[in-house]
Amino acid sequence: MATTEECRAALEKLSESMTRAGADVRAAAALDRSLSCRVTDLDVSFSGRLQGGRIVVLDTRPGPPAEKAQIRLAMTGDDLVALVDGELNFARAWASGRVRLEASFRDLLRLRTLL
């Protein structure tokens, strides 16, 4: 089982990957939105912002996020690490329910390039 530190490192790795990505991905990530990632098996939430083409984690807390973010992810720690490492396909994980993503329809359309 992935640890809280490994999950935070995975989010940082994802953020770095987004800044080095091609123009299409950078454009999709150029949103300025609140973001939360709930790691269900660890019962911990990372909250922050998607801004400037990167993820900025501002808070880590036990349980659900303190506030409802505009973009909300939920998954196990192992799935988070596997997604970032390219070992788990996001679309398949989302379709099977292993990963939950909630956002406005407009944000989902913009984020599809990232996913």
Side-chain angles (χ1 to χ4, degrees):
M1 177 185 339
T3 65
T4 300
E5 293 78 22
E6 290 170 323
C7 292
R8 185 177 188 93
L11 289 171
E12 289 172 11
K13 182 178 178 181
L14 177 60
S15 181
E16 289 301 317
S17 295
M18 289 167 47
T19 62
R20 293 189 310 268
D24 289 345
V25 171
R26 282 195 313 271
L31 297 169
D32 182 11
R33 300 286 189 270
S34 59
L35 174 77
S36 68
C37 180
R38 176 118 190 251
V39 182
T40 55
D41 57 333
L42 298 176
D43 194 28
V44 67
S45 296
F46 298 93
S47 300
R49 295 206 65 83
L50 175 62
Q51 66 185 142
R54 63 181 305 125
I55 297 169
V56 179
V57 176
L58 302 171
D59 184 35
T60 304
R61 58 174 282 140
E67 297 179 15
K68 185 177 178 181
Q70 292 167 305
I71 300 171
R72 299 169 302 282
L73 289 162
M75 67 197 79
T76 66
D78 288 341
D79 284 346
L80 173 60
V81 171
L83 279 169
V84 173
D85 288 343
E87 299 168 4
L88 180 63
N89 178 280
F90 182 86
R92 286 188 201 135
W94 187 31
S96 70
R98 286 176 66 178
V99 173
R100 289 190 312 271
L101 170 64
E102 297 177 28
S104 71
F105 184 71
R106 181 175 172 225
D107 286 345
L108 288 173
L109 288 176
R110 292 217 37 208
L111 289 170
R112 74 180 188 272
T113 305
L114 293 173
L115 313 173

